[in-house]
């Protein structure tokens, strides 16, 4: 850039999971996903509300923005078109080669058009397209706070790349160097999304449901199929187009083949009942995903020599795979950022521009930070639109009061402080319940969350006592890792143990979230168990509640007993 940018706006927009992040002189002002403010889950619209909040926080206008960092590079898409034509040389991929070449070229043109639109929104700014996987890498590495680490990014598609292994270095001015890359059509995220859709759930949204279902199935039935469909190589993996036809980036092209259907089952309609065959298919998919992820982690260890690993990209949200990497003992410690998916690339894109601009200012506010969005403390609350709700203001012993309510079986929505980054509720936009309450999982699924009965619920635990209940052996601050459980957990809190014997836990320290640490301490003192069920403050199909209005709607329309909203106790 001609001059060092002071104000950098990072954007994820026009694809899915729109979000925005703002860096001012290297300090992260904030980050928020547009869905938390617009109520449209996974929205791809321009994140106008997120940008308005960020600029307001910094007391800036659009004219003050020096650089807009966008999380894709159009030219990289264009480079795939001639490569796609080479697929015509193989009978297995010939049928889709022209459609693929055209699809990637079309997306390149569309992405370039989006950059021009952004330029008009910010007339004083340079619009900088950032390589998608580089944005993922910087998000994951910078959030770790480590000075050096291996960085593994696995997603569905970023321009051409689907998997990259890099080395990250530098705390105040983080950089990553890609050492190895795997390009589409070899894509683990593509395969997982294809099977998710085949099983009747929404691709790009409900892969977690398939991961939960997998625990109820037997992978043996389709183990050989997935070994043939997703084959590991010395440097990674490749996909058999006989089962998963080549991606085209155009509608009308199914992601699973006739051969896949013939050897598994017909595509399931969402209204159809689940059978053992569906469960076994999910189990085999999950098992193969775990095997490939561990294989890639081993490759990252060999290439970098690092003792620590950061993992990013959409597949990093597969917490069971992350748990398997930790369990394998390949690295001393594994880290997943709070927003490993595409939304988080808004942060990484902004970091790339900051680093490339050679700013003398060190980075601040990114490492180990997850509460980065809007807060609504000390704002008046009008319950007129919700005539059935009543409120009272609590005193200074709020944590003790909440712990007492939870110990008596109350299911409580919690809305406090700044909105979390990423797909997991981390104690600021949560639904909390006692794991000791009989039938609590069934009640949460049936009348609070309105979701499938086999879906498990994650525990949050005092970090200093996590070893009593979980075998992970490291901190898990962002609920991104599945852990084995101890005999004590099976005996005392079986409600938080999934069918596969794991729990996706969140460890809570006093420094990370003082209020939740106090609640867990008080609950542990009452019950002997410093563990709570923690799920996101929303119902199925809706985003996590980012505003008080969304939280009040959630209380009014679900089976929640109460809502603790910034010190106010609200009941029906």
């Amino acid at each position: 850039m001609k001059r060092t940018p002071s104000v950098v706006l990072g954007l994820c927009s026009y694809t899915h999971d729109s979000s925005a992040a703002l860096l001012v002189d290297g300090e992260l002002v904030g980050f928020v996903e547009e869905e938390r403010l617009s109520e449209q889950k996974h929205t791809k619209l321009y994140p106008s509300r997120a940008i308005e909040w960020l600029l307001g926080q910094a007391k800036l206008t659009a004219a003050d923005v020096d650089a807009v960092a966008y999380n894709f590079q159009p030219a990289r898409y264009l480079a795939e078109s001639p490569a796609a034509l080479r697929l015509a040389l193989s009978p297995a991929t010939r049928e889709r080669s022209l459609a693929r070449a055209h699809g990637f070229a079309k997306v390149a043109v569309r992405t370039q058009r989006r950059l021009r639109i952004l330029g008009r929104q910010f007339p004083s700014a340079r619009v900088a397209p950032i390589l998608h996987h580089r944005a993922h890498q910087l998000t994951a590495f910078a959030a770790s706070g480590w000075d050096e680490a291996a960085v593994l990014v696995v997603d569905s598609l970023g321009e051409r790349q689907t998997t990259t292994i890099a080395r990250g270095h530098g705390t105040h001015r983080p950089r990553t160097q890609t050492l190895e890359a795997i390009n589409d059509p070899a894509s683990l995220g593509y395969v997982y999304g294809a099977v998710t859709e085949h099983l009747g759930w929404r691709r790009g949204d409900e892969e977690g449901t398939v991961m939960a279902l997998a625990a109820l199935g037997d992978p043996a039935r389709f183990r050989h199929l997935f070994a043939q469909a997703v084959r590991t190589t010395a440097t990674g993996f490749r996909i058999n187009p006989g089962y998963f036809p080549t991606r085209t980036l155009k509608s009308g092209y199914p992601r699973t083949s006739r051969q896949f259907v013939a050897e598994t089952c017909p595509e399931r309609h969402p209204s159809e009942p689940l059978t053992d065959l569906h469960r076994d298919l999910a189990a085999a998919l999950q098992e193969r995903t775990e095997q490939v992820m561990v294989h890639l982690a081993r490759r990252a260890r060999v290439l970098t020599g690092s003792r620590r690993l950061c993992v990013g990209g959409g597949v990093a949200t597969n917490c069971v795979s992350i748990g398997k990497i930790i369990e394998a003992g390949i690295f001393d410690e594994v880290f997943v950022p709070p927003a490993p998916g595409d939304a988080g690339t808004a942060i990484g894109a902004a970091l790339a521009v900051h680093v490339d601009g050679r700013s003398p200012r060190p980075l601040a506010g990114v490492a180990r930070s997850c509460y980065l969005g809007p807060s609504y403390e000390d704002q008046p609350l009008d319950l007129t639109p919700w005539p059935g709700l009543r409120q009272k203001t609590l005193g200074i012993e709020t944590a003790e009061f909440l712990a007492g309510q939870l110990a008596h079986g109350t299911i409580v929505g919690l809305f406090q402080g700044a909105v979390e980054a990423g797909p997991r509720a981390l104690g600021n936009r949560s639904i909390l319940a006692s794991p000791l309450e009989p039938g609590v999982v069934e009640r949460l699924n049936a009348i609070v969350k309105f979701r499938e009965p086999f879906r498990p619920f994650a525990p949050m635990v005092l970090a200093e006592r996590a070893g009593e209940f979980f075998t992970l052996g490291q901190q898990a601050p962002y609920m991104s890792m599945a852990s084995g459980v101890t005999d004590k957990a099976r005996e005392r809190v079986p409600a938080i143990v999934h069918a596969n014997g794991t729990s996706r836990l969140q460890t809570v320290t006093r420094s990370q979230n003082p209020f939740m640490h106090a609640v867990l301490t008080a609950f542990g003192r009452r019950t002997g168990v410093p563990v709570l069920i923690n799920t996101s403050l929303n119902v199925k199909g809706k985003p996590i509640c980012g505003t008080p209005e969304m939280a009040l709607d959630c209380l009014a329309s679900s089976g929640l007993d109460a809502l603790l909203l910034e010190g106010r106790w609200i009941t029906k």
Side-chain angles (χ1 to χ4, degrees), residues 84-85 87-101 241 245-246 248 252-254 257-258:
L85 293 175
L87 296 175
L89 300 175
S90 169
T93 55
R94 182 177 299 149
E95 184 180 350
R96 294 193 176 194
S97 60
L98 284 176
R100 179 177 171 89
T246 308
T248 64
Y253 289 83
S257 69
R258 287 188 292 271

Side-chain angles (χ1 to χ4, degrees), residues 285-514:
L285 167 70
Q286 178 62 31
E287 179 185 73
R288 193 58 178 157
T289 301
E290 294 163 15
Q291 291 168 349
V292 175
M293 287 293 283
V294 171
H295 176 65
L296 292 169
R298 293 190 191 281
R299 182 66 180 164
R301 178 79 174 88
V302 169
L303 286 175
T304 65
S306 299
R307 299 296 305 173
R308 288 168 162 172
L309 174 69
C310 302
V311 191
V315 182
T317 60
N318 191 296
C319 63
V320 181
S321 292
I322 301 299
K324 292 292 184 182
I325 293 173
I326 296 170
E327 191 178 278
I330 305 164
F331 294 90
D332 293 341
E333 192 170 358
V334 177
F335 177 84
V336 179
D342 274 14
T345 59
I347 298 174
L351 296 180
V353 170
H354 175 74
V355 170
D356 293 346
R358 303 185 184 278
S359 171
R361 300 294 184 95
L363 186 67
V366 178
R368 304 287 168 159
S369 297
C370 65
Y371 306 110
L372 298 171
S375 64
Y376 299 85
E377 300 170 62
D378 303 321
Q379 289 196 11
L381 187 64
D382 179 13
L383 292 183
T384 303
W386 302 272
L389 302 184
R390 303 182 300 277
Q391 66 169 314
K392 69 175 181 178
T393 302
L394 301 179
I396 58 173
E397 297 298 326
T398 305
E400 291 286 345
F401 174 83
L402 178 56
Q405 290 289 325
L406 292 167
H408 283 95
T410 307
I411 296 178
V412 182
L414 177 60
F415 185 107
Q416 60 149 6
V419 177
E420 297 98 330
R424 315 295 188 205
L426 301 172
N428 281 15
R429 302 291 186 275
S430 292
I431 292 173
L432 304 176
S434 168
L436 306 172
E437 191 70 13
V440 65
V441 170
E442 292 77 11
R443 184 182 170 199
L444 281 166
N445 273 326
I447 67 170
V448 178
K449 300 285 284 187
F450 306 115
R451 65 184 200 180
E452 296 83 0
F454 58 82
R455 296 276 295 274
F457 287 97
M460 60 192 329
V461 59
L462 287 176
E464 59 268 31
R465 294 187 61 185
E468 296 177 33
F469 301 91
F470 305 101
T471 62
L472 191 66
Q474 68 161 72
Q475 295 296 296
Y478 307 130
M479 203 184 279
S480 51
M481 303 159 180
S483 170
V485 299
T486 64
D487 290 340
K488 183 175 182 177
R490 289 189 183 92
E491 179 185 344
R492 299 296 306 277
V493 283
I496 55 89
V497 183
H498 192 32
N500 60 4
T502 70
S503 294
R504 188 189 70 201
L505 77 156
Q506 178 195 0
T507 55
V508 180
T509 64
R510 184 178 284 106
S511 59
Q512 177 193 347
N513 192 321

Side-chain angles (χ1 to χ4, degrees), residues 120-337:
R120 291 195 290 271
Q121 295 278 356
F122 300 92
S124 304
R126 176 193 170 190
V127 180
I130 303 300
L131 185 66
H132 189 70
H133 268 235
R134 186 187 178 207
H136 271 307
Q137 291 167 1
L138 285 170
T139 301
F141 177 64
S144 74
W146 293 335
D147 186 59
E148 186 275 337
V151 185
L152 172 64
V153 173
V154 187
D155 65 2
S156 180
L157 181 68
E159 296 103 2
R160 302 175 72 191
Q161 296 173 332
T162 67
T163 306
T164 53
I165 295 172
R167 180 177 178 270
H169 59 92
T171 304
H172 300 301
R173 293 176 181 82
R175 296 180 181 274
T176 59
Q177 177 189 8
T178 299
L179 304 176
E180 205 161 74
I182 299 172
N183 287 346
D184 197 68
S187 170
L188 203 55
Y190 181 82
V191 168
Y192 212 103
V195 180
T196 295
E197 197 167 56
H198 190 80
L199 287 170
W201 285 288
R202 291 186 301 275
R203 172 171 48 85
D205 180 28
E206 296 184 293
E207 282 82 353
T209 302
V210 174
M211 183 176 66
L213 180 67
L216 306 180
D218 180 359
R221 186 192 302 217
F222 298 112
R223 181 174 288 142
H224 178 72
L225 183 152
F226 278 100
Q228 295 299 312
V230 185
R231 299 181 179 179
T232 55
T233 67
T235 58
F237 66 95
R238 57 191 174 91
I239 304 302
N240 184 340
Y243 291 103
F244 298 99
T246 308
R247 185 197 318 253
T248 64
L249 294 184
K250 299 182 71 167
S251 60
Y253 289 83
R255 293 182 172 222
T256 53
S257 69
R258 287 188 292 271
Q259 180 181 355
F260 180 85
V261 173
E263 294 185 24
T264 59
C265 61
E267 186 172 336
R268 172 183 168 266
H269 189 273
S271 64
E272 292 178 31
L274 286 167
T275 68
D276 286 343
L277 193 148
H278 299 128
R279 297 180 187 94
D280 293 348
L281 185 59
L285 167 70
Q286 178 62 31
E287 179 185 73
R288 193 58 178 157
T289 301
E290 294 163 15
Q291 291 168 349
V292 175
M293 287 293 283
V294 171
H295 176 65
L296 292 169
R298 293 190 191 281
R299 182 66 180 164
R301 178 79 174 88
V302 169
L303 286 175
T304 65
S306 299
R307 299 296 305 173
R308 288 168 162 172
L309 174 69
C310 302
V311 191
V315 182
T317 60
N318 191 296
C319 63
V320 181
S321 292
I322 301 299
K324 292 292 184 182
I325 293 173
I326 296 170
E327 191 178 278
I330 305 164
F331 294 90
D332 293 341
E333 192 170 358
V334 177
F335 177 84
V336 179

